[in-house]
Amino acid sequence: MGKYTQTLTELKAGLEQADFTSVELTEELLARISAHDKKLNAMITVTADEALAAAAQADIDRSGGKGGAMCGLPIIHKDIFCTRDIRTTCGSRMLENFISPYDATVVENLAKAGAVVLGKSNMDEFAMGSSNETSFFGPVHNPWDLDCSPGGSSGGSSAAVAARFAPAATATDTGGSIRQPAALTGTIGFKPTYGRVSRYGMIAFASSLDQAGVITRSAEDAALMLGAMAGFDERDSTSIDEPVPDYVAGLGQSVEGLRLGIVRQHFDEGLDAETGARVKNAIATLESMGASTVEVDLPNIDMSVPTYYVVAPAECSSNLSRFDGVRFGHRAENAEDLLDLYCRSRGEGFGDEVKRRIMTGAYVLSAGYYDAYYLKAQQVRQLIADDFRKAFADVDVIVGPTTPSAAFKLGDKVDDPITMYLNDIYTIGANLAGLPAMSVPCGLVGGLPVGLHLVGGHFDEGTLLRVAHQYQLKTDFHQACPEDFK
Ligand code: GLN
């Protein structure tokens, strides 16, 4: 068996016991990427030379007893994280040739821990999308069925981890972009509490919602990665100065006595019956392990998608104004004057979905509409956050489906933004309220994976990881591997 079948935790043990070197492991995974990525298009940039040099350094550090927590372990970065000297495209023509002069804090922290970066993964343009079809670099294919989407916007990261290109990848989640693709590819997707992981150097979509996290195959691996990424960063004004617990150490405790909240609205007619059955099965498994269930009401949760589609575009229209053809990215040729340069650079550099969001955002923020849309959305966002706060007085974790169904076919929803937006109906609430949340594989529907969604209280990442880890000890859904990538 190749080393690619092993999880991050297993590979860490293998490196520690000197069963293999990081260079050997890195070579194997790079070969796998070059053999299989033509089918998936999961990678935008592969950094083979840099990876091999980092692996060689990690091997030296390890033999000198100096390695960090991730020493010599290969990972992939979503191409939204700035990497010094390696291009960062954010899935856009606008940044097709952009080279950042600095590393994102996430990149820096993982490098300090000794991780080896194999490359940068494909994503929806500026992280706007749920299917990876808005990427300038073309859609990503789902390893479970190449005609299907791997979800988005972190579809490159989710497909790469599901196809065993790397045991772990970074990702970002503004409305579900870690958890939805994780659900659709049978991987773990973990979004921490807003403020837990620095946003410095992570290209901004909607700043009050964006949060960095991970895609892995086990909860244990997510705990290991998160520990290396998280922590206060004075360069991010919304980073929170809270100590980072040892997430791996906390995984062992059982779920006995834990109170699971079930949101009534999450099991209504919008949910595919088979998907709902897998999720209910997973909840029954957790009950058999000693957890109890309580029905919780989130009376305003039905407003989460419309609220998000006012707040997120508003923030994106402001964040993306920096791409003007002057300071960053694509610049149109032969502009007649400055205004023409702005218009043409942005017209050529951005794709349709990004333009749609910028226009919506500019509209809801404009004089005359601000109160009716933006201010109203902020008020509803507060109501949703309050609903969660009340619910967490009675429960420890909220459980339900991550997505309404298993993966859909590429092309199926791309011309219908509203249907596409509804894919995030169960995930967006956690972003609006800033709560940690994750998706855990809980079975297959028609041969395609679906996920159990867990939401926790602020800074209670540990409980989510523990529930998921205990569940994975009892089940083997996360071990299923797509046939062509075994
Ligand atoms: N699918 C959602 C959107 O298109 C969420 C994206 C994200 O989380 N980055 O906005």
Side-chain angles (χ1 to χ4, degrees), residues 78 127-130 152-153 172-178 205 308-309 312 357 421 424 431:
K78 181 175 181 178
M128 297 172 198
S130 303
S153 65
T172 60
D173 192 310
T174 303
S177 275
I178 294 177
F205 163 11
Y308 173 88
Y309 278 97
R357 306 277 179 118
Y421 295 172
D424 295 319
N431 300 81

